[in-house]
Amino acid sequence: MSNIASSKKALRFFHPRLLDCLQGYNRHRLTKDIGAGLTVGVVALPLAMAFAIASGLKPEAGLFTAIIAGFLVSLLGGSKVQIGGPAGAFIVIVYGIVERYGLANLVIATAMSGVMLFAMGVFKMGTLVRFIPVSVIIGFTNGIAVLIALSQVKDFLGLRIAKLPGEFFGMASTLVHALPSFNLPATCVALASLALIVCWRFLVPAWVKDPVWNERVQLIPGSVLALVLTTAFVSITHLPVETIGSKFGGIPSSLPALAWPDFSWDTVRFLFIPATTLAMLGAIESLLCARVADGMIDDRHNPNQELMAQGIANFITPFFGGMPATGTIARTVTNVKGGATSPIAGVVHAFTLLLVMLVAAPLAQNIPLAAMAAILMFVAWNMGEWREFLHLRQFRLPYRVTLLAVFFLTVVFDLTVAVEVGLVAACITFIYRISSLSRSEELTAADYPDLAGLQGQVSAYRLYGALFFGAVKIIEEIQDTLPARTIVLDLKNVIYVDSSGADTLNDLARACHKNRVRLVICGLMHQPLDIARRSGFVAAVGPQHIYPDVATAMRASFGLAHLDAPHTPATT
């Protein structure tokens, strides 16, 4: 019996969404999932290769990741329709890791990020990602989009650059100096590809009036169409442009064997920051993507299960020639529009990519890199929330400063610095806002007529908000103006007290005791009452001076005969 109970507990702890979706699964749903999976597989093919190339890796690294990670995320994840694989958000980070630490250390950093992601899921940290402010997310997303677009200028224009630097100023300087090597055929291929993608996305659906055909047209990705047409054109005309075959020697038609890199604890130590960046970005991207999918299918994903699945995928994939993976919004949206009903669609997408790689790998040799650059230019444009810059006037100064600071730091320095500064700025802004909402209000004879004539003898205050380290000045100001006989504090509207607030309350109690001023407290409830007891504040004030409501406390503050009468202290 104990084994059965432990098995059930383990299933609750690690429960892929696929298990729930298989209940009542039928042929009709299978047909829809196969159709959606085939469509997503076609969409993922050019994107996977483009993301790998832009990251400084061989194109097969993106394919391996889309196949292995896509399979594992769908099989073990917490979302019904999310598609995992290489993402544009990783391009800048992966390129920087490869440039600074080398390919072998990228494998280790990716595996480390997988362990971190799994641990985040185990310790139920999935919901914490929602606490990252929107201004920070938009700032680094737009910054990454700018860097992706800038990194593709080389192939878009056909410039002759042996190695493009990873940092912004070095990249910009190298591109400017290489402009004389401008390749007109490559630029024409890139412009034609970009024009075709844009027209297919925005103009063709508007021209096709029939709803059924309109839906079918939108399922065909413009990126695939552009890739097929430009590859055929380059193959026929033999244009002098760089291709996957000329730069990488083609794509293997089989999955790689397990490769275990040499590493030491010293390596793990200096890769901790890059791995943490990969893990944080992977968590943010995957859970944001899952939330987008939830809104489209009216469902709710399990964020902790999703993080554990992402962790497993990122731990396994790099040892088979892959790169970091996460949830991908474009492919997930395509999956939903294709009619997916379960994670089976994601599994089909992975097998579709595997089949294409095994059968059609030789055809990829003639894919022009200029067309891949055009695809990534379009991805970068779609990735950015550019309208947010136009709407900045609608928001307060702290929001604007945070968003712009994260954006510029992402572009000029790196994502880690940008997110750290953004989170610190957001925390400071939050603390300031909450502290400004916390206030004290002195009660007068207009509120309680019995206070008439007792000015300087009895003071009463009503506190609002949170009494935390950023708002302790409220108590300090009260302590600086103590009355001669009694002070009454109404804490009914205080929603939270932290350790700093409790220490300040104890300081007030000591000051009152030293000056022989009676301190009367009323309205303590819930968390403030709990910390008041644990911090010794209740004992310092004395239970006989703690009242459940302000009316009773006010009567006690006048020093009348019933002051010492028995009463029921606040215990709510």
Coordinates of all heavy atoms in Angstrom, one line a residue, residues 103-194:
L103 N 32.5 26.2 -28.2 CA 31.3 25.3 -28.4 C 31.2 24.3 -27.3 O 30.0 23.9 -26.8 CB 31.5 24.6 -29.8 CG 30.3 23.7 -30.2 CD1 29.0 24.5 -30.2 CD2 30.6 23.1 -31.5
A104 N 32.3 23.7 -26.8 CA 32.2 22.6 -25.8 C 31.6 23.2 -24.5 O 30.8 22.5 -23.8 CB 33.6 22.1 -25.5
N105 N 31.9 24.4 -24.2 CA 31.4 25.0 -23.0 C 29.9 25.4 -23.2 O 29.2 25.6 -22.2 CB 32.2 26.2 -22.5 CG 33.5 25.8 -21.9 OD1 33.6 24.8 -21.2 ND2 34.6 26.6 -22.2
L106 N 29.5 25.7 -24.4 CA 28.0 25.9 -24.6 C 27.2 24.6 -24.3 O 26.1 24.7 -23.7 CB 27.8 26.2 -26.1 CG 26.3 26.3 -26.5 CD1 25.6 27.5 -25.8 CD2 26.2 26.5 -28.0
V107 N 27.8 23.5 -24.6 CA 27.1 22.2 -24.2 C 26.9 22.1 -22.7 O 25.9 21.8 -22.2 CB 27.9 21.0 -24.7 CG1 27.3 19.7 -24.2 CG2 28.0 21.0 -26.2
I108 N 28.0 22.5 -22.0 CA 28.0 22.4 -20.5 C 27.0 23.4 -19.9 O 26.2 23.2 -19.0 CB 29.4 22.6 -19.9 CG1 30.3 21.5 -20.4 CG2 29.3 22.6 -18.4 CD1 31.8 21.7 -20.0
A109 N 27.1 24.7 -20.5 CA 26.2 25.7 -20.0 C 24.7 25.4 -20.2 O 23.8 25.6 -19.4 CB 26.5 27.1 -20.6
T110 N 24.4 24.8 -21.4 CA 23.0 24.4 -21.7 C 22.6 23.3 -20.8 O 21.4 23.4 -20.3 CB 22.9 24.0 -23.2 OG1 23.5 25.0 -24.0 CG2 21.5 23.7 -23.5
A111 N 23.4 22.3 -20.5 CA 23.0 21.3 -19.6 C 22.8 21.8 -18.2 O 21.9 21.4 -17.5 CB 24.1 20.2 -19.6
M112 N 23.7 22.7 -17.8 CA 23.5 23.4 -16.4 C 22.2 24.1 -16.4 O 21.5 24.1 -15.4 CB 24.7 24.3 -16.2 CG 26.0 23.6 -15.9 SD 27.4 24.8 -15.8 CE 26.9 25.8 -14.4
S113 N 21.8 24.8 -17.4 CA 20.6 25.5 -17.5 C 19.4 24.6 -17.4 O 18.4 24.9 -16.8 CB 20.5 26.4 -18.7 OG 20.2 25.6 -19.9
G114 N 19.6 23.4 -18.0 CA 18.5 22.4 -17.8 C 18.3 21.9 -16.4 O 17.2 21.8 -15.9
V115 N 19.4 21.7 -15.7 CA 19.3 21.4 -14.3 C 18.6 22.5 -13.5 O 17.8 22.2 -12.6 CB 20.7 21.1 -13.7 CG1 20.7 20.8 -12.2 CG2 21.4 19.9 -14.4
M116 N 19.0 23.7 -13.8 CA 18.4 24.9 -13.1 C 16.9 24.9 -13.4 O 16.0 25.1 -12.5 CB 19.0 26.2 -13.5 CG 20.5 26.3 -13.1 SD 21.2 27.9 -13.7 CE 22.9 27.6 -13.2
L117 N 16.5 24.7 -14.6 CA 15.1 24.8 -15.0 C 14.3 23.7 -14.3 O 13.2 23.9 -13.8 CB 14.9 24.6 -16.5 CG 15.2 25.9 -17.3 CD1 15.4 25.5 -18.8 CD2 14.1 26.9 -17.2
F118 N 14.9 22.5 -14.3 CA 14.2 21.4 -13.6 C 14.0 21.7 -12.1 O 13.0 21.4 -11.5 CB 15.0 20.1 -13.8 CG 14.3 18.8 -13.3 CD1 13.4 18.2 -14.1 CD2 14.5 18.3 -12.0 CE1 12.7 17.1 -13.7 CE2 13.8 17.2 -11.6 CZ 12.9 16.6 -12.4
A119 N 15.1 22.2 -11.5 CA 15.0 22.6 -10.1 C 13.9 23.6 -9.8 O 13.2 23.6 -8.8 CB 16.4 23.1 -9.6
M120 N 13.8 24.6 -10.7 CA 12.8 25.6 -10.6 C 11.4 25.0 -10.6 O 10.5 25.4 -9.9 CB 12.9 26.6 -11.7 CG 14.2 27.5 -11.6 SD 14.5 28.5 -13.1 CE 13.1 29.6 -13.1
G121 N 11.2 24.0 -11.5 CA 9.9 23.3 -11.5 C 9.7 22.5 -10.3 O 8.6 22.5 -9.7
V122 N 10.7 21.8 -9.8 CA 10.6 21.0 -8.6 C 10.2 21.8 -7.4 O 9.4 21.4 -6.6 CB 11.9 20.2 -8.3 CG1 11.9 19.6 -6.9 CG2 12.2 19.2 -9.3
F123 N 10.8 23.0 -7.2 CA 10.5 23.9 -6.1 C 9.4 24.8 -6.4 O 9.2 25.8 -5.7 CB 11.8 24.7 -5.7 CG 12.9 23.8 -5.1 CD1 14.0 23.5 -5.9 CD2 12.8 23.3 -3.9 CE1 15.0 22.7 -5.4 CE2 13.7 22.4 -3.3 CZ 14.9 22.1 -4.1
K124 N 8.6 24.5 -7.4 CA 7.4 25.2 -7.8 C 7.6 26.7 -7.9 O 6.9 27.6 -7.3 CB 6.3 25.0 -6.7 CG 6.0 23.5 -6.5 CD 4.8 23.3 -5.5 CE 4.6 21.8 -5.3 NZ 4.3 21.1 -6.6
M125 N 8.6 27.1 -8.7 CA 8.9 28.5 -9.0 C 8.3 29.0 -10.3 O 8.6 30.1 -10.7 CB 10.4 28.7 -9.0 CG 11.1 28.4 -7.6 SD 12.9 28.4 -7.7 CE 13.2 30.1 -8.1
G126 N 7.4 28.2 -10.9 CA 6.9 28.6 -12.2 C 6.1 29.8 -12.1 O 6.1 30.7 -13.0
T127 N 5.4 30.0 -11.0 CA 4.5 31.2 -10.9 C 5.4 32.5 -10.6 O 4.9 33.6 -10.8 CB 3.5 31.1 -9.7 OG1 4.2 30.7 -8.5 CG2 2.5 30.0 -10.1
L128 N 6.6 32.3 -10.1 CA 7.4 33.5 -9.8 C 7.8 34.3 -11.1 O 8.1 35.5 -11.0 CB 8.7 33.1 -9.1 CG 8.5 32.5 -7.7 CD1 9.8 32.1 -7.1 CD2 7.7 33.4 -6.8
V129 N 7.8 33.6 -12.2 CA 8.2 34.3 -13.5 C 7.2 35.4 -13.8 O 7.6 36.4 -14.4 CB 8.3 33.2 -14.6 CG1 8.5 33.9 -16.0 CG2 9.4 32.2 -14.4
R130 N 6.0 35.2 -13.3 CA 5.0 36.3 -13.6 C 5.3 37.5 -12.8 O 4.7 38.6 -13.1 CB 3.6 35.7 -13.1 CG 3.1 34.5 -13.9 CD 1.8 34.1 -13.4 NE 1.3 32.9 -14.2 CZ 0.1 32.3 -13.9 NH1 -0.7 32.8 -13.0 NH2 -0.2 31.2 -14.6
F131 N 6.2 37.5 -11.8 CA 6.5 38.7 -11.1 C 7.5 39.6 -11.8 O 7.8 40.7 -11.3 CB 7.1 38.3 -9.7 CG 6.1 37.6 -8.8 CD1 6.6 36.8 -7.8 CD2 4.8 37.7 -9.0 CE1 5.7 36.1 -6.9 CE2 3.9 37.0 -8.2 CZ 4.3 36.3 -7.1
I132 N 8.1 39.1 -12.9 CA 9.0 40.0 -13.7 C 8.2 41.0 -14.4 O 7.2 40.7 -15.1 CB 9.8 39.1 -14.7 CG1 10.6 38.1 -14.0 CG2 10.7 40.0 -15.6 CD1 11.4 37.2 -14.9
P133 N 8.5 42.3 -14.2 CA 7.7 43.4 -14.7 C 7.6 43.4 -16.2 O 8.6 43.0 -16.9 CB 8.4 44.6 -14.2 CG 9.2 44.2 -13.0 CD 9.6 42.8 -13.3
V134 N 6.5 43.8 -16.8 CA 6.3 43.9 -18.2 C 7.3 44.8 -18.9 O 7.8 44.5 -20.0 CB 4.9 44.4 -18.6 CG1 4.7 44.6 -20.0 CG2 3.8 43.4 -18.0
S135 N 7.7 45.9 -18.2 CA 8.7 46.8 -18.7 C 10.0 46.1 -19.0 O 10.7 46.4 -20.0 CB 8.8 48.0 -17.8 OG 9.2 47.6 -16.5
V136 N 10.4 45.2 -18.1 CA 11.7 44.5 -18.2 C 11.6 43.5 -19.4 O 12.5 43.4 -20.2 CB 12.0 43.8 -16.9 CG1 13.3 42.9 -17.1 CG2 12.2 44.7 -15.8
I137 N 10.5 42.8 -19.5 CA 10.3 41.8 -20.6 C 10.3 42.5 -21.9 O 11.0 42.1 -22.9 CB 9.0 41.0 -20.3 CG1 9.1 40.2 -19.1 CG2 8.7 40.1 -21.6 CD1 7.9 39.4 -18.7
I138 N 9.6 43.6 -22.0 CA 9.5 44.3 -23.3 C 10.9 44.9 -23.7 O 11.3 44.9 -24.8 CB 8.4 45.4 -23.3 CG1 7.0 44.8 -23.2 CG2 8.5 46.3 -24.5 CD1 5.9 45.8 -23.0
G139 N 11.6 45.4 -22.7 CA 12.9 46.0 -22.9 C 13.9 45.1 -23.4 O 14.5 45.3 -24.5
F140 N 14.0 43.9 -22.8 CA 15.0 43.0 -23.3 C 14.6 42.3 -24.6 O 15.4 41.9 -25.4 CB 15.5 42.0 -22.2 CG 14.6 40.8 -21.9 CD1 14.4 39.8 -22.8 CD2 14.0 40.7 -20.6 CE1 13.5 38.7 -22.5 CE2 13.2 39.7 -20.3 CZ 12.9 38.7 -21.3
T141 N 13.3 42.1 -24.7 CA 12.8 41.5 -26.0 C 13.1 42.4 -27.2 O 13.6 41.9 -28.2 CB 11.3 41.2 -25.9 OG1 11.0 40.3 -24.8 CG2 10.8 40.5 -27.2
N142 N 12.8 43.6 -27.0 CA 13.1 44.6 -28.1 C 14.6 44.7 -28.4 O 15.1 44.8 -29.5 CB 12.5 45.9 -27.8 CG 11.0 46.0 -28.0 OD1 10.4 44.9 -28.2 ND2 10.4 47.1 -27.9
G143 N 15.4 44.7 -27.3 CA 16.8 44.7 -27.4 C 17.4 43.5 -28.2 O 18.3 43.7 -29.0
I144 N 16.9 42.3 -27.8 CA 17.3 41.1 -28.5 C 17.0 41.2 -30.0 O 17.7 40.8 -30.9 CB 16.7 39.9 -27.8 CG1 17.4 39.7 -26.5 CG2 16.9 38.6 -28.7 CD1 16.7 38.6 -25.7
A145 N 15.8 41.7 -30.3 CA 15.3 41.8 -31.7 C 16.3 42.7 -32.5 O 16.6 42.4 -33.6 CB 13.9 42.4 -31.7
V146 N 16.7 43.8 -31.9 CA 17.6 44.7 -32.6 C 18.9 44.0 -32.9 O 19.5 44.1 -34.0 CB 17.9 46.0 -31.7 CG1 19.0 46.8 -32.3 CG2 16.6 46.9 -31.7
L147 N 19.4 43.3 -31.9 CA 20.7 42.6 -32.1 C 20.6 41.5 -33.1 O 21.5 41.2 -33.9 CB 21.2 42.0 -30.7 CG 21.7 43.0 -29.7 CD1 22.0 42.4 -28.4 CD2 22.9 43.8 -30.2
I148 N 19.4 40.8 -33.1 CA 19.2 39.7 -34.2 C 19.3 40.4 -35.5 O 19.9 39.9 -36.5 CB 17.9 39.0 -33.9 CG1 18.0 38.2 -32.6 CG2 17.5 38.1 -35.1 CD1 16.6 37.5 -32.3
A149 N 18.5 41.5 -35.7 CA 18.5 42.1 -37.0 C 19.9 42.6 -37.4 O 20.3 42.5 -38.6 CB 17.5 43.3 -37.0
L150 N 20.6 43.2 -36.5 CA 22.0 43.7 -36.8 C 22.9 42.6 -37.2 O 23.7 42.7 -38.1 CB 22.5 44.5 -35.6 CG 23.8 45.2 -35.8 CD1 23.6 46.3 -36.8 CD2 24.3 45.8 -34.5
S151 N 22.8 41.4 -36.5 CA 23.7 40.3 -36.8 C 23.4 39.7 -38.2 O 24.2 39.0 -38.7 CB 23.5 39.2 -35.7 OG 22.2 38.6 -35.8
Q152 N 22.2 39.9 -38.7 CA 21.9 39.4 -40.0 C 22.2 40.3 -41.2 O 22.1 39.9 -42.4 CB 20.4 39.1 -40.1 CG 19.9 38.0 -39.1 CD 20.8 36.8 -39.2 OE1 20.9 36.1 -40.2 NE2 21.5 36.5 -38.1
V153 N 22.7 41.5 -40.9 CA 23.1 42.4 -42.0 C 24.2 41.8 -42.8 O 24.3 42.0 -44.0 CB 23.5 43.8 -41.4 CG1 24.1 44.7 -42.5 CG2 22.4 44.5 -40.7
K154 N 25.1 41.1 -42.2 CA 26.2 40.5 -42.9 C 25.7 39.6 -44.0 O 26.1 39.7 -45.2 CB 27.1 39.6 -41.9 CG 28.1 38.7 -42.6 CD 28.8 37.9 -41.5 CE 29.7 36.9 -42.2 NZ 28.9 35.8 -42.8
D155 N 24.9 38.6 -43.8 CA 24.4 37.7 -44.8 C 23.3 38.4 -45.7 O 23.2 38.0 -46.9 CB 23.8 36.4 -44.1 CG 24.8 35.6 -43.5 OD1 26.0 35.5 -44.0 OD2 24.6 34.9 -42.5
F156 N 22.6 39.3 -45.1 CA 21.6 40.0 -45.9 C 22.2 40.8 -47.1 O 21.7 40.8 -48.2 CB 20.8 41.0 -45.0 CG 19.5 41.5 -45.6 CD1 18.3 40.8 -45.3 CD2 19.5 42.6 -46.5 CE1 17.1 41.3 -45.9 CE2 18.3 43.0 -47.0 CZ 17.1 42.4 -46.7
L157 N 23.4 41.4 -46.8 CA 24.1 42.2 -47.8 C 25.2 41.4 -48.5 O 25.9 41.9 -49.4 CB 24.7 43.5 -47.2 CG 23.7 44.4 -46.6 CD1 24.4 45.6 -46.0 CD2 22.6 44.9 -47.6
G158 N 25.4 40.2 -48.0 CA 26.5 39.3 -48.6 C 27.9 39.9 -48.3 O 28.8 39.7 -49.1
L159 N 28.1 40.5 -47.1 CA 29.4 41.1 -46.8 C 30.4 40.0 -46.4 O 30.1 38.9 -45.9 CB 29.2 42.0 -45.5 CG 28.2 43.1 -45.7 CD1 28.2 43.9 -44.4 CD2 28.5 44.0 -46.9
R160 N 31.7 40.2 -46.7 CA 32.7 39.3 -46.5 C 33.4 39.6 -45.1 O 34.2 40.4 -45.0 CB 33.8 39.4 -47.6 CG 33.3 39.0 -49.0 CD 34.4 39.2 -50.0 NE 33.9 38.8 -51.3 CZ 34.6 39.0 -52.5 NH1 35.8 39.5 -52.4 NH2 34.1 38.7 -53.6
I161 N 32.9 38.9 -44.1 CA 33.4 39.0 -42.8 C 33.7 37.6 -42.2 O 32.8 36.8 -42.2 CB 32.3 39.7 -41.9 CG1 32.0 41.1 -42.4 CG2 32.8 39.8 -40.4 CD1 30.8 41.8 -41.7
A162 N 34.9 37.4 -41.8 CA 35.3 36.1 -41.3 C 34.6 35.8 -40.0 O 34.1 34.7 -39.8 CB 36.8 36.0 -41.2
K163 N 34.6 36.7 -39.1 CA 34.1 36.5 -37.8 C 33.4 37.8 -37.3 O 34.1 38.8 -37.1 CB 35.1 36.1 -36.8 CG 34.6 35.7 -35.4 CD 33.8 34.5 -35.4 CE 33.4 34.1 -34.0 NZ 32.5 32.9 -33.9
L164 N 32.1 37.7 -37.1 CA 31.4 38.9 -36.6 C 31.4 39.0 -35.1 O 31.0 38.0 -34.4 CB 29.9 38.9 -37.1 CG 29.1 40.1 -36.9 CD1 29.7 41.2 -37.8 CD2 27.6 39.9 -37.3
P165 N 31.9 40.1 -34.5 CA 32.0 40.2 -33.0 C 30.6 40.0 -32.4 O 29.5 40.3 -33.0 CB 32.5 41.6 -32.8 CG 33.2 41.9 -34.1 CD 32.4 41.3 -35.1
G166 N 30.5 39.7 -31.1 CA 29.3 39.5 -30.5 C 28.7 40.7 -29.8 O 27.5 40.8 -29.6
E167 N 29.6 41.7 -29.5 CA 29.1 42.9 -28.8 C 28.7 44.0 -29.8 O 29.2 44.0 -30.9 CB 30.1 43.4 -27.8 CG 31.5 43.5 -28.3 CD 31.8 44.9 -28.8 OE1 31.0 45.8 -28.5 OE2 32.7 45.1 -29.6
F168 N 27.8 44.9 -29.4 CA 27.1 45.8 -30.3 C 28.1 46.7 -31.1 O 28.1 46.8 -32.3 CB 26.2 46.7 -29.5 CG 25.5 47.8 -30.3 CD1 24.5 47.5 -31.2 CD2 25.9 49.1 -30.1 CE1 23.9 48.5 -31.9 CE2 25.4 50.1 -30.9 CZ 24.3 49.8 -31.8
F169 N 29.0 47.4 -30.4 CA 29.9 48.4 -31.0 C 30.9 47.7 -32.0 O 31.1 48.2 -33.1 CB 30.6 49.2 -30.0 CG 29.7 50.1 -29.2 CD1 29.5 49.9 -27.9 CD2 29.1 51.2 -29.9 CE1 28.6 50.8 -27.2 CE2 28.3 52.1 -29.2 CZ 28.1 51.9 -27.8
G170 N 31.4 46.5 -31.5 CA 32.3 45.8 -32.4 C 31.6 45.3 -33.6 O 32.1 45.3 -34.8
M171 N 30.3 44.8 -33.5 CA 29.5 44.3 -34.6 C 29.2 45.5 -35.6 O 29.4 45.3 -36.8 CB 28.2 43.8 -34.0 CG 27.4 43.0 -35.1 SD 25.8 42.5 -34.4 CE 26.3 41.5 -33.0
A172 N 28.8 46.6 -35.0 CA 28.5 47.8 -35.9 C 29.7 48.2 -36.7 O 29.7 48.5 -37.9 CB 27.9 48.9 -35.1
S173 N 30.8 48.3 -36.0 CA 32.1 48.8 -36.6 C 32.5 47.8 -37.7 O 32.9 48.3 -38.8 CB 33.2 48.9 -35.5 OG 34.4 49.3 -36.1
T174 N 32.4 46.5 -37.4 CA 32.9 45.5 -38.4 C 32.0 45.6 -39.7 O 32.5 45.5 -40.8 CB 32.8 44.1 -37.8 OG1 33.6 44.1 -36.7 CG2 33.3 43.1 -38.8
L175 N 30.7 45.8 -39.4 CA 29.7 45.8 -40.6 C 30.0 47.1 -41.4 O 30.0 47.0 -42.7 CB 28.3 45.9 -40.1 CG 27.8 44.6 -39.5 CD1 26.4 44.8 -38.8 CD2 27.7 43.5 -40.5
V176 N 30.3 48.2 -40.8 CA 30.6 49.4 -41.5 C 31.8 49.3 -42.4 O 31.9 49.7 -43.6 CB 30.7 50.6 -40.6 CG1 31.2 51.9 -41.3 CG2 29.3 50.9 -39.9
H177 N 32.9 48.7 -41.8 CA 34.1 48.6 -42.5 C 34.0 47.5 -43.7 O 34.8 47.6 -44.6 CB 35.2 48.2 -41.6 CG 35.7 49.3 -40.7 ND1 35.2 49.5 -39.5 CD2 36.7 50.2 -40.9 CE1 35.8 50.6 -38.9 NE2 36.7 51.0 -39.8
A178 N 33.0 46.6 -43.5 CA 32.9 45.6 -44.6 C 31.9 46.0 -45.7 O 31.7 45.2 -46.6 CB 32.4 44.3 -43.9
L179 N 31.3 47.2 -45.6 CA 30.3 47.6 -46.6 C 30.9 47.6 -48.0 O 30.1 47.3 -49.0 CB 29.8 49.0 -46.3 CG 28.8 49.0 -45.1 CD1 28.3 50.4 -44.9 CD2 27.5 48.2 -45.5
P180 N 32.2 47.9 -48.3 CA 32.7 47.8 -49.7 C 32.6 46.4 -50.3 O 32.6 46.3 -51.5 CB 34.2 48.2 -49.5 CG 34.2 49.1 -48.3 CD 33.2 48.5 -47.4
S181 N 32.5 45.4 -49.5 CA 32.4 44.0 -50.0 C 30.9 43.6 -50.3 O 30.6 42.4 -50.5 CB 33.0 43.0 -49.0 OG 32.3 43.0 -47.8
F182 N 30.1 44.6 -50.4 CA 28.6 44.4 -50.6 C 28.4 43.5 -51.9 O 29.0 43.7 -52.9 CB 28.0 45.8 -50.9 CG 26.7 45.8 -51.5 CD1 25.5 45.5 -50.7 CD2 26.5 46.0 -52.8 CE1 24.3 45.5 -51.3 CE2 25.2 46.1 -53.4 CZ 24.1 45.8 -52.6
N183 N 27.5 42.5 -51.7 CA 27.3 41.5 -52.8 C 25.8 41.7 -53.3 O 24.9 41.5 -52.6 CB 27.4 40.1 -52.2 CG 27.2 39.0 -53.3 OD1 26.4 39.1 -54.2 ND2 28.0 37.9 -53.2
L184 N 25.7 42.3 -54.5 CA 24.4 42.6 -55.1 C 23.5 41.4 -55.3 O 22.3 41.5 -54.9 CB 24.6 43.4 -56.4 CG 23.3 43.8 -57.1 CD1 22.6 44.8 -56.2 CD2 23.6 44.5 -58.4
P185 N 24.0 40.3 -55.8 CA 23.1 39.1 -55.9 C 22.5 38.7 -54.6 O 21.3 38.3 -54.5 CB 23.9 38.1 -56.6 CG 25.0 38.8 -57.3 CD 25.3 40.0 -56.5
A186 N 23.4 38.6 -53.6 CA 22.9 38.2 -52.3 C 21.8 39.1 -51.7 O 20.8 38.7 -51.1 CB 24.1 38.1 -51.3
T187 N 22.1 40.4 -51.9 CA 21.1 41.4 -51.4 C 19.8 41.3 -52.2 O 18.7 41.4 -51.5 CB 21.7 42.9 -51.6 OG1 22.9 42.9 -51.0 CG2 20.7 43.9 -51.0
C188 N 19.8 41.1 -53.4 CA 18.6 40.9 -54.2 C 17.8 39.7 -53.8 O 16.6 39.7 -53.6 CB 18.9 40.8 -55.7 SG 19.5 42.3 -56.5
V189 N 18.5 38.6 -53.5 CA 17.9 37.4 -53.0 C 17.2 37.6 -51.6 O 16.1 37.2 -51.4 CB 18.9 36.2 -52.9 CG1 18.3 35.0 -52.1 CG2 19.3 35.7 -54.2
A190 N 18.0 38.4 -50.8 CA 17.4 38.7 -49.4 C 16.2 39.6 -49.5 O 15.2 39.4 -48.9 CB 18.5 39.4 -48.6
L191 N 16.3 40.6 -50.4 CA 15.2 41.5 -50.5 C 13.9 40.8 -51.1 O 12.8 41.1 -50.7 CB 15.6 42.7 -51.4 CG 16.5 43.7 -50.8 CD1 17.0 44.8 -51.8 CD2 15.9 44.4 -49.6
A192 N 14.2 40.0 -52.1 CA 13.1 39.2 -52.7 C 12.4 38.3 -51.7 O 11.2 38.2 -51.6 CB 13.6 38.4 -53.9
S193 N 13.3 37.6 -50.9 CA 12.7 36.7 -49.8 C 11.9 37.5 -48.8 O 10.8 37.1 -48.4 CB 13.9 36.0 -49.1 OG 14.6 35.3 -50.0
L194 N 12.4 38.6 -48.4 CA 11.7 39.5 -47.4 C 10.4 40.0 -47.9 O 9.4 40.0 -47.3 CB 12.6 40.6 -46.9 CG 12.1 41.5 -45.8 CD1 11.9 40.6 -44.5 CD2 13.1 42.6 -45.4

